[in-house]
Amino acid sequence: SSNTTSSSSNSASSSSASAPCLFGVMRAVKVPGEGTVVMGKVLSGSFGAGAKLVSEQGLACQLRKVESDRQAVGRARSGDMVALLLAGVKRQDLCRGAVLGLASFPPPLAASFTVTFTLIKDRKHRVSARYRPDLWVGHARVPCQFSELLRVTERGKQKKRVEGTVGFDHKLAFCSKNHSHKVRIIPDKPVHAVPQSQGGIHSRVCLRDNNGVFAIGGIDTVEN
């Protein structure tokens, strides 16, 4: 019986050790007498008090306590909405959208990625390969640049259009509502993003310009 318990315990620990431990920050506050507290969701893996953490930008801190519904808990696991009490970091260093991971396995960053998206609003202006909307991925919002534009045809084939003023519609060179498009995006700073095949909020994107949100989509490939 003890051997069975031991083997199942080892299996669980090896399974959790193989999974990346990631936490998505939704809000950071300074609590008098306590320090910096971040509220958010465990994206994968699990966290316990005493763990050494690092943000996707390389900022190191230590996890002092995990709370759920204002009660201390031993560990937070994937999917849990919790608050983490951190040492060695300031509130302003961890804004909404930051991602924390174990210091031994920091969150991977994407320098660029390819997105398939659908327009939810018509655009009357031409779009160039240097178009610069705001990118929402996970809880992070950063300016980005369209580096390479592609159009998905009705037969599912892709046609690259990168010279001069580039649009997606075959004749008018305009984006077309409810049509699928592809674009290679370069964010102004690396962000945590994963392909749609891995699922989760960091595999979906929202594109916004001065007229509001104009497209939503999913990430196909990621370049670190």
Side-chain angles (χ1 to χ4, degrees):
S1 174
S2 61
N3 290 338
T4 303
T5 304
S6 175
S7 62
S8 62
S9 174
N10 290 337
S11 175
S13 61
S14 62
S15 175
S16 61
S18 62
C21 298
L22 299 173
F23 178 84
V25 176
M26 297 181 180
R27 186 184 178 197
V29 297
K30 181 179 180 180
V31 178
E34 292 285 348
T36 300
V37 175
V38 293
M39 283 79 76
K41 182 178 182 179
V42 180
L43 304 175
S44 60
S46 64
F47 294 88
K52 294 182 179 180
L53 307 180
V54 63
S55 73
E56 79 276 25
Q57 301 300 329
L59 187 65
C61 57
Q62 185 163 10
L63 177 55
R64 293 174 54 193
K65 186 167 61 174
V66 181
E67 290 187 352
S68 177
D69 295 327
R70 299 181 181 275
Q71 299 293 323
V73 295
R75 295 191 72 81
R77 293 174 171 79
S78 181
D80 290 349
M81 299 291 293
V82 294
L84 307 182
L85 175 59
L86 305 175
V89 67
K90 297 179 180 179
R91 176 192 61 81
Q92 56 267 33
D93 293 331
L94 292 173
C95 60
R96 179 180 175 89
V99 178
L100 296 171
L102 295 179
S104 57
F105 189 64
L109 292 177
S112 68
F113 38 87
T114 303
V115 172
T116 297
F117 68 89
T118 302
L119 290 175
I120 58 176
K121 289 184 179 180
D122 283 324
R123 280 294 178 265
K124 302 302 182 183
H125 57 270
R126 295 179 185 272
V127 177
S128 75
R130 294 173 296 279
Y131 191 53
R132 290 186 59 85
D134 280 349
L135 166 75
W136 287 80
V137 55
H139 302 293
R141 177 182 178 179
V142 295
C144 69
Q145 178 172 309
F146 284 8
S147 172
E148 185 178 61
L149 301 175
L150 302 95
R151 179 170 61 86
V152 180
T153 67
E154 292 182 358
R155 289 189 293 270
K157 297 180 180 179
Q158 300 171 13
K159 182 179 292 185
K160 190 181 297 183
R161 311 276 301 280
V162 296
E163 296 296 331
T165 299
V166 182
F168 298 101
D169 187 88
H170 183 63
K171 294 182 179 179
L172 301 177
F174 293 131
C175 297
S176 301
K177 186 177 178 181
N178 297 326
H179 286 196
S180 293
H181 312 88
K182 278 184 178 287
V183 62
R184 181 168 174 263
I185 291 177
I186 300 179
D188 282 10
K189 64 178 182 179
V191 296
H192 178 63
V194 298
Q196 292 186 81
S197 58
Q198 295 185 27
I201 61 174
H202 289 88
S203 67
R204 304 289 299 171
V205 302
C206 174
L207 295 169
R208 180 187 180 99
D209 59 16
N210 292 336
N211 295 315
V213 175
F214 67 89
I216 55 176
I219 297 174
D220 297 315
T221 59
V222 174
E223 298 177 13
N224 297 324

